[in-house]
Amino acid sequence: PQKLLLSALAWLSSDNWELKEKGLLSIKCLAMSHSKVLLCRLREISLAVTKEVTSLRSKVSHSAIVTLGELFVTLKKDMDSEVDEVVQVLLQMVWNSPEFIQKAASQTLGIIVENVTPSRAMTALMDSGVQHRHVLVRKCAAKHLLTVMEKIGATKLAGTPLRAEKLLRLAVKLAQDCHKDTRYYGWKMLHMLMDHQKFKRLLKQSVSAHDL
């Protein structure tokens, strides 16, 4: 496995797209069968795979996205430190790629949300996605942010005043988005938050009647 990992990293740094494919497949196989081997060079592996997500060759890009998903499935919270960077790159693929790449990117974002520390995923989505200028990115980020918020629950979300206020403002903004799906996710967030007294109070204090 150690040898295969070294070969995989070498293949990924090659200019030959077929070798890159081979490298990505090897990382994916290692994640499935020898995940512990990856831990000692996780940062390097994650960077190498993430770099290929933006490959102009869609086959390589798709493989990289799927491989990232596999890394998050098997390594879970060990991948916490990679979340911000990976989420940013995946969201970028949601609006400037062929449909099958967009779909894969959204699926891997879903995998990330399910497997890493929820607060890490939430911060990454809030920072990179829900305020993005592109409508599809906002929609995708809102969908996954709603999942994270439901995982954490309104009581815990209310625990950090600054974050609570930011979340509430975001939810209100999303509920007014130009895309109907994004509006739906925003309203679901608001509905969930309003189950908690603190958010009800916050809404009265911080959101003007005009926003509603």
Side-chain angles (χ1 to χ4, degrees):
Q2 199 72 47
K3 248 184 181 172
L4 182 59
L5 175 57
L6 291 173
S7 300
L9 288 168
W11 291 329
L12 280 171
S13 63
S14 147
D15 288 334
N16 181 322
W17 72 268
E18 286 172 326
L19 283 179
K20 284 183 186 292
E21 276 265 303
K22 197 176 172 184
L24 289 165
L25 186 63
S26 304
I27 299 281
K28 190 179 163 192
C29 292
L30 284 168
M32 291 161 82
S33 55
H34 295 92
S35 58
K36 283 194 170 68
V37 172
L38 304 177
L39 288 173
C40 58
R41 301 183 74 162
L42 194 52
R43 179 77 184 132
E44 189 183 348
I45 294 161
S46 182
L47 280 173
V49 176
T50 305
K51 189 181 167 205
E52 298 309 324
V53 169
T54 53
S55 168
L56 294 175
R57 193 169 278 273
S58 54
K59 204 175 172 199
V60 173
S61 172
H62 187 268
S63 288
I65 292 168
V66 172
T67 302
L68 279 173
E70 199 55 57
L71 288 172
F72 279 98
V73 164
T74 52
L75 298 170
K76 302 190 187 304
K77 289 180 178 150
D78 284 320
M79 289 292 284
D80 272 8
S81 56
E82 310 304 322
V83 171
D84 293 349
E85 231 164 303
V86 174
V87 165
Q88 202 172 354
V89 174
L90 288 175
L91 285 170
Q92 185 186 324
M93 303 313 286
V94 167
W95 65 277
N96 64 354
S97 312
E99 200 178 332
F100 79 107
I101 300 271
Q102 290 180 25
K103 205 172 168 184
S106 185
Q107 277 174 345
T108 293
L109 283 164
I111 289 169
I112 291 172
V113 161
E114 287 303 321
N115 288 285
V116 300
T117 304
S119 57
R120 286 303 291 256
M122 186 169 79
T123 304
L125 289 164
M126 283 167 75
D127 290 349
S128 302
V130 287
Q131 303 196 65
H132 199 278
R133 61 191 168 81
H134 199 282
V135 65
L136 287 178
V137 177
R138 290 198 304 275
K139 178 190 131 180
C140 181
K143 175 188 170 184
H144 296 298
L145 181 60
L146 175 63
T147 307
V148 183
M149 286 168 68
E150 286 172 343
K151 275 187 89 164
I152 298 172
T155 306
K156 264 192 178 174
L157 290 171
T160 317
L162 268 176
R163 186 175 70 178
E165 198 167 330
K166 191 178 177 185
L167 263 179
L168 192 59
R169 286 187 177 279
L170 270 179
V172 168
K173 206 172 174 186
L174 291 170
Q176 299 170 310
D177 197 85
C178 60
H179 194 291
K180 64 177 174 52
D181 290 355
T182 310
R183 287 199 300 275
Y184 168 76
Y185 299 132
W187 278 109
K188 281 205 75 163
M189 286 174 197
L190 279 174
H191 189 71
M192 178 198 137
L193 297 175
M194 287 308 108
D195 279 347
H196 196 282
Q197 279 304 116
K198 183 168 183 179
F199 282 108
K200 276 185 184 167
R201 276 202 312 276
L202 263 179
L203 189 65
K204 281 179 184 166
Q205 288 165 15
S206 68
V207 181
S208 67
H210 169 74
D211 281 337
L212 293 174

